[in-house]
Amino acid sequence: MRLSDIAIKALKAPKKGAAIYYDDLLTGFGVRVSEGGTKSFILTHGVRRQRETIGRVGIVSLREARSEAKRRLAEYTLGKTKASSPTWTVAVEEFLAEIERTRRARTHQSYVRVLHKHFRFGEMKIADIASADFTKKLAKLSHAPSEQHHTFIAVHTFIRWAHRNYYLDVDPLSRMRSSYRYHPRTRVLSDTELAKVWHAAGSMGIYGDMVRLLILTGQRGGEISRLRAGMVGRDAIILPAWLAKNGREHRFPMGLLAVAILQKYAGDTDGEALLFPARGKSGNSFSGFSKSKQKLDELSGVGDWTLHDLRRTFATGLAALAVPLPAVERLLNHVSGSFAGIVAVYQRYDFMREMREAIAKWDRHILEITEGGSTSRATLAVSDIPPAFHFPKLSSEIACEPIVPGM
């Protein structure tokens, strides 16, 4: 586009990350608009496609910015000025804006936290930061091995990105390795603990409903917390590939207890609407997990467990109920185990009937441990779900079948 004062004023902020609008009159010269609406004149040049900030729109005029861009390009072309590497702050901002469009929100937030908290190199040129500088920063986290490992992974990913984008000639972290060794958790909640958590969750609003859905479905916390109305059918849920951890669409049935929870969020809602939004921010998924989890532990009296342990508890509980392993793995959306290798290519059966039977058994079990053995409610079927239970997209796409626990 041809940049003008009027055109720049009309530029809209993107919903996520940043957008760059280049000038047709001068190659590499343009305006960067951040998610917050901040507009800056920039210049991208050279083999490395290095990006420089010339100045903030409003502080520097378009005429001044274009003139400065021409001056810099002339000097780079004549070799009077050696193009410099971007600063740490500029490179990190560009990296975070890029991964925000391609990574999960939780992953992006983790990178933001780690890179801003542990690596405050500010206006240092990224090419001037030595391996020893990173080593010193990481050494300060030796008392927290897990945090040190996550920090190493984040900065290593960023540096490799910078190297691929020609901001660095040499990767300063190429010979560094993390000494952390992952030890998988084995925690499984007992029936007594599960019942306590279930009852405590009942008084915790949106967070409590999400916890109960994790208990009932065995899905991941990041998937349930980001459910949108268009992903929910009358008796089943579809997680799109972009939301599922393994990048594969996941269709699984809901039992009556899950339906009862989701019924309060049903209605003629926009299919893109989040079911569990952050307080005061309908466009963001629920936040505040740490404080809510602490409160849940206090109310339930159950400690030393994580939300992901509910997924392991779900899988273990289904195995105890004699549910076939393929059905369990389908419910968990695993691509290893029974469905690894060539099996994944040729085995296309969806196991929906087996998954429905498994969920029915699990519903019955949850009722037994939470209601003192009463299973009268477990004889309901999907046909008993009120017509008011309606989500906009999938209600007509997923055939409803009776779910009768114990059959």
Side-chain angles (χ1 to χ4, degrees):
M1 64 183 296
R2 180 170 181 173
L3 291 179
S4 66
D5 291 330
I6 294 176
I8 293 173
K9 187 176 182 180
L11 295 177
K12 303 295 184 182
K15 292 183 179 180
K16 288 186 177 181
I20 295 178
Y21 302 89
Y22 285 104
D23 184 21
D24 291 339
L25 298 181
L26 183 60
T27 301
F29 175 63
V31 173
R32 181 182 184 276
V33 186
S34 69
E35 181 180 343
T38 300
K39 299 176 183 178
S40 302
F41 292 111
I42 59 97
L43 175 64
T44 303
H45 60 89
V47 176
R48 295 183 178 183
R49 304 307 297 159
Q50 295 183 75
R51 185 179 303 155
E52 301 176 4
T53 299
I54 296 175
R56 185 78 61 85
V57 173
I59 297 177
V60 178
S61 70
L62 172 60
R63 182 178 179 180
E64 292 170 334
R66 186 181 277 122
S67 177
E68 174 63 14
K70 288 181 180 178
R71 184 190 67 78
R72 294 187 188 186
L73 284 174
E75 290 189 344
Y76 297 147
T77 301
L78 296 173
K80 292 182 178 180
T81 303
K82 183 179 179 181
S84 61
S85 151
T87 66
W88 174 267
T89 299
V90 169
V92 166
E93 181 183 2
E94 185 178 340
F95 168 73
L96 292 175
E98 181 175 313
I99 67 168
E100 187 174 20
R101 298 189 295 270
T102 58
R103 302 290 184 91
R104 299 172 181 276
R106 185 175 180 180
T107 301
H108 174 258
Q109 291 166 6
S110 176
Y111 279 117
V112 170
R113 182 187 67 81
V114 167
L115 294 176
H116 286 169
K117 180 178 180 180
H118 299 306
F119 301 97
R120 298 176 181 175
F121 293 120
E123 297 307 305
M124 286 183 65
K125 301 296 184 182
I126 187 172
D128 294 337
I129 304 173
S131 302
D133 296 318
F134 292 106
T135 301
K136 289 178 182 178
K137 297 287 187 181
L138 290 167
K140 292 180 180 179
L141 298 173
S142 58
H143 65 284
S146 180
E147 175 71 0
Q148 185 184 54
H149 175 70
H150 288 303
T151 300
F152 171 78
I153 294 298
V155 72
H156 197 261
T157 301
F158 165 64
I159 291 298
R160 283 186 297 176
W161 170 88
H163 190 243
R164 287 197 304 271
N165 282 273
Y166 301 99
Y167 291 159
L168 294 167
D169 291 326
V170 178
D171 179 351
L173 302 182
S174 61
R175 290 184 291 177
M176 292 180 63
R177 297 290 183 271
S178 173
S179 60
Y180 179 79
R181 293 294 177 267
Y182 171 68
H183 299 288
R185 288 180 61 84
T186 58
R187 178 82 158 93
V188 173
L189 276 67
S190 67
D191 285 349
T192 300
E193 291 175 321
L194 198 59
K196 289 180 178 179
V197 171
W198 175 274
H199 288 304
S203 62
M204 295 191 64
I206 285 180
Y207 177 79
D209 285 340
M210 287 192 294
V211 170
R212 284 187 167 186
L213 286 174
L214 294 179
I215 291 174
L216 294 168
T217 66
Q219 304 308 306
R220 299 177 177 88
E223 296 166 346
I224 292 298
S225 66
R226 298 169 67 193
L227 277 180
R228 296 179 183 270
M231 302 175 189
V232 182
R234 192 158 178 253
D235 66 334
I237 291 174
I238 291 183
L239 299 179
W242 64 263
L243 178 56
K245 182 179 180 180
N246 59 18
R248 295 176 56 173
E249 180 182 278
H250 181 34
R251 180 185 295 237
F252 62 93
M254 291 185 290
L256 295 177
L257 296 180
V259 168
I261 292 170
L262 285 171
Q263 184 177 341
K264 68 179 75 172
Y265 301 97
D268 294 321
T269 315
D270 174 13
E272 291 300 311
L274 287 162
L275 298 187
F276 309 116
R279 181 176 297 178
K281 297 181 180 180
S282 59
N284 296 339
S285 58
F286 181 86
S287 57
F289 280 89
S290 296
K291 291 183 178 179
S292 297
K293 176 59 165 55
Q294 290 175 5
K295 183 178 179 181
L296 179 60
D297 288 354
E298 293 173 2
L299 291 174
S300 66
V302 180
D304 186 31
W305 67 284
T306 68
L307 291 181
H308 197 73
D309 291 337
L310 296 177
R311 183 170 164 86
R312 188 179 303 103
T313 301
F314 173 84
T316 303
L318 290 183
L321 294 173
V323 173
L325 181 58
V328 177
E329 294 190 327
R330 278 296 191 197
L331 283 166
L332 296 175
N333 196 21
H334 279 172
V335 293
S336 56
S338 302
F339 303 101
I342 198 67
V343 176
V345 177
Y346 290 100
Q347 203 305 101
R348 311 309 297 175
Y349 179 57
D350 63 10
F351 284 85
M352 185 60 75
R353 178 176 61 82
E354 289 82 359
M355 285 193 290
R356 291 185 185 281
E357 292 173 354
I359 289 295
K361 287 184 177 181
W362 187 241
D363 262 18
R364 181 184 180 91
H365 179 71
I366 295 299
L367 283 170
E368 289 175 345
I369 67 174
T370 59
E371 298 193 4
S374 172
T375 59
S376 59
R377 286 170 51 199
T379 59
L380 296 176
V382 170
S383 58
D384 296 308
I385 299 172
F389 184 74
H390 172 69
F391 283 89
K393 182 181 179 183
L394 301 179
S395 300
S396 61
E397 294 184 12
I398 300 177
C400 297
E401 300 178 7
I403 297 181
V404 183
M407 287 186 64

